Amino acid sequence: MIPYVELKTQFKAIETEIRAAIDTVLESGWFILGEQVRAFEQEFAAYLGVEHAVGVASGTDAIHLALRAAGVGPGDEVITAPNTCVPTVCGIAASGATPTLADVDPGTLTLDPAKLDAAITPRTRAIVPVHLYGHPCDMDPILEVARQHNLIVVEDCAQAHGARYKGALCGTFGHAAAFSFYPTKNLGAYGDGGAVSTSDAQIAEQVRRLRNYGEEHRYHHTVEGFNSRLDEIQAAVLRVKLPHLDAWNAARVRLAGAYGEALAETSVATPHLAPWALPNHHLYVVRTRHRDALQAQLKELGIGTLIHYPVPIHLQGAYSHLGLQRGAFPVAEQACGEVLSLPMYPELQPDAIPIIARAIADFRP
Ligand SMILES: Cc1ncc(COP(=O)(O)O)c(C=O)c1O
């Protein structure tokens, strides 16, 4: 049995530190917006090399609150990719803006800068590029389009902790960026969590207010807000894990290299790596026209896989009101029918890879 993902081995490796960190919070008697959150925010901002990180309750809320803090709201349109995880669009919609879509590059499966112009209308206010699977978007031309049209850019970094574009970390390019600390992320809490990173002091301050009922100072509220806080226990867990992030990502890079070699002679297409990208390999996604049959075959052999994601945003029932039909975004639609995520986590044993590759090589549709 090779599970798709497995979090217990990592926990066992850091168990003593994790239990001590959680204990510190329990002993402190302080659970919301305290020392752990403050310290994690500083440490995460320092890791990224930005001025501010603000802990919030989830990656979805990070997108929502970053957009809202940047002044995006009802009547505005926000462009993102059709093949993203649904919460990207949940976050956009929560701001009051209307999500709109632009097709992706057939190689990287991230926003195709050449498709942005056609998606821009007089109401377009922001772009949310998604560094999908941990492969960075081609940020320079995206930022150039944003500059030309005076648009806000909020990077969706839910899958991109530690990934780099032209040497710089994802999460440092836009007006703000949104991170998720969902447990399976490259930097994952033991529950929900998220953060907004930014070097814009006004955006940071506004997210701080919005996450805490719009409070300016105690019981004085200057903006209608929400309850969306990273809690002290999750922040304490993340402080233990952050120093390991680069080593865990390096293990993923090694595993991706081994997958690439082992799968070279098989019928599946291995992930495209753009020359300017240093992905964090959050997911290892291969492509085949026989995806569903291959997934079923691997399941029979005890090899876990998942599909990220089988249905593009515009073909989800929840977004039928966008009025977009099949055929609107052919690159994303084709990818949704072909992508298959293989097991990928730092603790995956390297000897699992030849076993998975052999199973794929033996597959006959
Ligand atoms: C691309 C992307 N955006 C946003 C999110 C939302 O993050 P969360 O689950 O923490 O709300 C996720 C993760 O689930 C994601 O993968």
Side-chain angles (χ1 to χ4, degrees):
M1 291 293 286
I2 303 174
Y4 172 72
V5 71
E6 186 274 291
L7 299 178
K8 204 164 155 185
T9 307
Q10 183 181 93
F11 168 61
K12 286 290 158 194
I14 54 173
E15 178 172 4
T16 311
E17 291 168 87
I18 290 284
R19 288 193 187 280
I22 292 176
D23 227 39
T24 303
V25 177
L26 297 178
E27 292 291 341
S28 78
W30 192 281
F31 299 99
I32 302 294
L33 294 185
E35 194 42 49
Q36 297 297 328
V37 170
R38 252 193 310 278
F40 174 68
E41 288 177 342
Q42 279 174 7
E43 289 158 11
F44 194 52
Y47 172 82
L48 293 172
V50 296
E51 296 292 322
H52 311 277
V54 185
V56 296
S58 69
T60 308
D61 281 3
I63 294 167
H64 164 204
L65 298 184
L67 286 169
R68 203 175 263 267
V72 178
D76 295 333
E77 292 176 357
V78 177
I79 301 171
T80 194
N83 59 336
T84 188
C85 194
V86 161
T88 308
V89 180
C90 298
I92 293 170
S95 76
T98 302
T100 61
L101 303 169
D103 212 349
V104 293
D105 174 84
T108 65
L109 300 183
T110 60
L111 268 186
D112 183 345
K115 304 273 171 58
L116 287 174
D117 270 335
I120 291 173
T121 75
R123 293 168 60 196
T124 306
R125 194 67 202 293
I127 305 175
V128 177
V130 184
H131 305 300
L132 199 67
Y133 312 149
H135 186 294
C137 301
D138 193 359
M139 287 308 296
D140 281 345
I142 292 172
L143 292 169
E144 179 55 24
V145 171
R147 198 189 54 73
Q148 282 167 7
H149 295 268
N150 200 19
L151 304 177
I152 298 290
V153 174
V154 172
E155 298 168 68
D156 182 340
C157 290
Q159 304 188 357
H161 317 70
R164 287 176 185 268
Y165 171 73
K166 297 186 179 172
L169 284 165
C170 291
T172 62
F173 293 101
H175 296 81
F179 286 86
S180 164
F181 303 123
Y182 184 81
T184 56
K185 303 302 188 198
N186 290 36
L187 180 62
Y190 290 137
D192 274 313
V196 174
S197 68
T198 181
S199 288
D200 181 320
Q202 284 185 350
I203 291 179
E205 275 317 300
Q206 188 70 341
V207 174
R208 282 185 203 287
R209 289 181 204 110
L210 289 170
R211 74 173 171 182
N212 197 34
Y213 324 124
E215 199 175 71
E216 184 78 35
H217 54 93
R218 200 149 199 200
Y219 304 136
H220 291 267
H221 303 258
T222 51
V223 58
E224 276 189 303
F226 303 87
N227 176 345
S228 178
R229 300 165 303 214
L230 180 68
D231 72 63
E232 286 285 287
I233 287 181
Q234 299 308 336
V237 166
L238 291 165
R239 292 186 70 199
V240 171
K241 288 187 158 201
L242 180 58
H244 296 280
L245 175 59
D246 285 343
W248 288 335
N249 281 350
R252 289 174 184 266
V253 170
R254 284 194 297 276
L255 291 164
Y259 262 130
E261 280 176 28
L263 295 171
E265 303 303 321
T266 67
S267 62
V268 300
T270 55
H272 174 88
L273 299 188
W276 33 258
L278 192 60
N280 69 2
H281 293 288
H282 171 59
L283 303 178
Y284 190 84
V285 179
V286 297
R287 291 180 66 167
T288 165
R289 281 191 293 124
H290 308 290
R291 188 264 314 280
D292 294 343
L294 175 60
Q295 183 178 42
Q297 169 93 11
L298 293 177
K299 186 175 177 201
E300 284 213 346
L301 296 169
I303 298 168
T305 61
L306 284 177
I307 297 169
H308 299 92
Y309 300 90
V311 181
I313 300 298
H314 59 293
L315 302 182
Q316 297 279 0
Y319 298 103
S320 56
H321 61 275
L322 298 179
L324 296 159
Q325 310 303 323
R326 186 175 292 283
F329 305 105
V331 180
E333 288 168 24
Q334 188 180 344
C336 289
E338 296 182 353
V339 291
L340 185 67
S341 305
L342 303 181
M344 169 56 83
Y345 38 98
E347 299 74 24
L348 179 66
Q349 290 304 304
D351 58 11
I353 288 181
I355 297 169
I356 297 167
R358 164 78 19 226
I360 293 173
D362 289 346
F363 168 68
R364 296 285 170 271

